Amino acid sequence: MQTVDVGALSVSAYRAVVPDWIVEPLLGVAERLRGARVIHLSATPYGGGVSELLRSAVPLYNDLGVRASWKIISGEPAFFAVTKKLHNALQGGTEPITDDEIRLYEETSRRNAEQLSADPDFADCDFVFVHDPQPAAVLSFSDTTKARSVWRCHVDTSEPAPGVWDYLGKFVERYDATVFTLPDFVPPTLSRARADIICPAIDPLSPKNMSLDDRTAHAVLNWIGIEPDRPLVTQVSRFDPWKDPLGVIEAFRLVRPEVPGLQLALVGSMALDDPQGWEVYRQITDAGRDDPDIHVFTNLTGVGNVEVNAFQRFSSVMIQKSIREGFGLVVSEALWKGTPIVAGRAGGIPLQVADDAGGLLVDSTAECAKTLLALLKDPGRSAALGAAGRERVRRHFLLPRLLLDELTLLDGLAHGDPPGALMTRSDHRDPVCGLTVPPGGGTLSAPEEGHTRYFCSQRCRIAFIEGAAS
């Protein structure tokens, strides 16, 4: 089983950008877990949000004294075609999964379990994080460890296709804890007592998010064919039908007559576990083939993290027109750079732009075009949205907050605390969305049975009050 090589990072480097009310509790819980051994198990070392998170999180675990490693499962292309079907079905896709595909999924999971059981890191580990449906069944075929296990779901499971959760759930039920991005994503048949709510986060010091001056950003984009002196809108995402790239092209064409010289960039990544990406890439290139203002880039044509950084900084407005979305890390990435975003009202996106911090939500292609045009015509409003978005990301969506939540979960498991209690009982967790909030919470508070609950946004506070009154 492949172990992914990662670099060395220091939590101390994040003090300049992350609030102390996150860093100090993180150091405290890490001290209680010092020496614990953790394995993260996922499907691919590149090409998606999970791999980006782990590339930064694993070295920070180690810097905090928690011994972590990152392992990758293996499988034939047909296996990843099946897991892509599972992924889509969890988000409501209707393509059926055959008995032969189920057998392939389980046989490949069994082989990976054998490889994992033979790995010396696995024999001695204390905790195992398993990410998403691809490796979800692996631990069901391995009984060689007493490690506490966590299944981390990064996709929108609020409306899965009939039967798919009944199948996958039988593997998930054997985990000691589950983690979802939003409360609405927890399937009704899964025990809430074993479900924690933890949002993903971005690494502000990674090549994709580190500081990049305007001159360098312009030079990077000019080098790959973008004209820096013309306005630009961009969507960065996997090439996936749930991201609606064809809808983005349609919205762009509705706006372009009103904005002379407007360019569109669609920037995507190809990943080992996403064979569907090639078909969507073909559809995009066909749709924009005869349009010189539409540019399509991938990680396989030399557009990597630094180029994405430049796109997100230089674009007048970013787009994330998702139809279904687990979280959408690219939203926080854009907001961290002070760039406003027009985004679909899907999954974790509304949480990132709550109270209009950083962006505006849309529900159709026509609405996307109208909102995009309004922001392009009003630079002052765009700048104000971008500034508010950066501050919201600083408080809630930077990597040390994610580490604090994950290590708090592991610390609770080590002491027998039910994962679900972390959200319902803690005054430091928003009771609506689960986000960690600062002690005292400022003015965003409401009473609950003799004590005070705190919230990440006015949106969550209102939802809590309305829920309590109903």
Side-chain angles (χ1 to χ4, degrees):
M1 181 164 285
Q2 177 188 355
T3 300
V4 181
D5 291 329
V6 295
L9 295 174
S10 173
V11 171
S12 63
Y14 293 78
R15 282 191 174 275
V17 292
V18 177
D20 287 342
W21 58 264
I22 292 174
V23 176
E24 295 304 329
L26 172 60
L27 297 177
V29 70
E31 185 59 35
R32 294 195 296 274
L33 288 167
R34 181 170 292 276
R37 293 153 296 188
V38 180
I39 287 176
H40 284 271
L41 186 66
S42 73
T44 177
Y46 64 89
V50 175
S51 58
E52 289 182 12
L53 284 174
L54 292 179
R55 188 159 295 282
S56 295
V58 169
L60 287 177
Y61 268 77
N62 286 297
D63 179 66
L64 289 163
V66 180
R67 296 161 54 190
S69 60
W70 174 16
K71 311 286 182 178
I72 300 297
I73 62 169
S74 60
E76 297 297 324
F79 167 75
F80 289 113
V82 175
T83 61
K84 183 62 177 181
K85 276 190 175 183
L86 276 173
H87 177 108
N88 286 337
L90 286 173
Q91 296 195 135
T94 58
E95 187 176 4
I97 300 172
T98 67
D99 290 343
D100 286 343
E101 289 172 329
I102 287 175
R103 278 192 291 271
L104 174 60
Y105 177 69
E106 295 182 4
E107 289 169 1
T108 305
S109 297
R110 184 178 288 106
R111 287 196 296 272
N112 277 285
E114 293 170 355
Q115 296 173 21
L116 183 63
S117 297
D119 192 304
D121 291 338
F122 184 64
D124 296 327
C125 75
D126 300 294
F127 303 98
V128 181
F129 264 100
V130 178
H131 295 266
D132 280 339
Q134 298 94 325
V138 170
L139 295 190
S140 292
F141 298 105
S142 175
D143 57 3
T144 61
T145 180
K146 296 181 179 179
R148 294 174 177 87
S149 56
V150 180
W151 185 63
R152 188 7 164 160
C153 182
H154 295 268
V155 300
D156 178 350
T157 50
S158 58
E159 297 180 15
V164 67
W165 179 255
D166 293 338
Y167 172 70
L168 194 66
K170 69 181 183 181
F171 300 115
V172 173
E173 287 170 358
R174 60 101 47 220
Y175 287 84
D176 297 299
T178 56
V179 176
F180 295 84
T181 297
L182 294 175
D184 289 347
F185 291 178
V186 182
T189 58
L190 189 67
S191 170
R192 290 279 175 148
R194 292 195 295 119
D196 195 7
I197 305 301
I198 301 176
C199 281
I202 65 169
D203 180 359
L205 306 185
S206 71
K208 185 184 281 188
N209 299 306
M210 65 186 182
S211 179
L212 196 67
D213 63 85
D214 288 346
R215 182 178 178 181
T216 302
H218 288 196
V220 167
L221 296 184
N222 181 68
W223 184 72
I224 60 175
I226 296 296
E227 297 181 41
D229 296 328
R230 295 170 55 193
L232 171 70
V233 293
T234 303
Q235 174 159 300
V236 176
S237 69
R238 279 198 188 196
F239 291 137
D240 186 310
W242 299 108
K243 315 297 184 183
D244 196 20
L246 298 182
V248 173
I249 292 175
E250 184 180 348
F252 164 75
R253 285 175 167 155
L254 291 171
V255 170
R256 180 170 49 183
E258 304 295 328
V259 183
L262 185 64
Q263 305 168 92
L264 170 66
L266 292 163
V267 184
S269 58
M270 300 298 185
L272 176 66
D273 62 339
D274 189 8
Q276 188 181 25
W278 287 107
E279 171 58 23
V280 177
Y281 175 75
R282 183 194 63 76
Q283 295 172 9
I284 295 168
T285 53
D286 285 350
R289 188 177 307 280
D290 298 322
D291 193 329
D293 293 330
I294 297 176
H295 306 271
V296 183
F297 301 99
T298 80
N299 55 328
L300 301 183
T301 57
V303 174
N305 287 329
V306 173
E307 287 79 11
V308 169
N309 189 333
F311 272 111
Q312 291 172 333
R313 289 183 187 279
F314 182 72
S315 295
S316 304
V317 180
M318 293 294 296
I319 306 171
Q320 188 58 39
K321 196 183 174 302
S322 298
I323 299 169
R324 299 295 290 270
E325 186 66 74
F327 184 71
L329 283 168
V330 291
V331 174
S332 283
E333 291 169 4
L335 301 186
W336 181 241
K337 298 158 182 89
T339 304
I341 193 162
V342 173
R345 197 184 310 272
I349 293 175
L351 184 61
Q352 296 174 77
V353 298
D355 301 345
D356 287 346
L360 301 174
L361 300 174
V362 298
D363 297 299
S364 68
T365 297
E367 191 177 359
C368 179
K370 179 180 178 181
T371 306
L372 181 61
L373 179 60
L375 291 185
L376 289 169
K377 294 286 191 179
D378 192 345
R381 186 185 185 197
S382 293
L385 283 172
R390 178 177 170 88
E391 177 58 19
R392 182 162 178 80
V393 171
R394 188 185 76 86
R395 290 169 63 86
H396 297 297
F397 302 117
L398 297 183
L399 187 59
R401 191 274 309 155
L402 173 63
L403 294 176
L404 170 61
D405 290 347
E406 288 185 350
L407 294 186
T408 299
L409 170 62
L410 298 187
D411 188 44
L413 288 175
H415 293 91
D417 296 333
L422 294 172
M423 177 174 165
T424 59
R425 298 178 188 170
S426 173
D427 289 340
H428 303 304
R429 299 283 291 275
D430 185 316
V432 175
C433 69
L435 274 177
T436 294
V437 293
T443 59
L444 295 175
S445 63
E448 182 191 42
E449 298 179 355
H451 68 285
T452 303
R453 300 305 299 265
Y454 300 99
F455 306 91
C456 76
S457 64
Q458 192 66 249
R459 169 179 170 267
C460 282
R461 179 177 179 273
I462 291 171
F464 177 82
I465 293 171
E466 290 177 345
S470 62

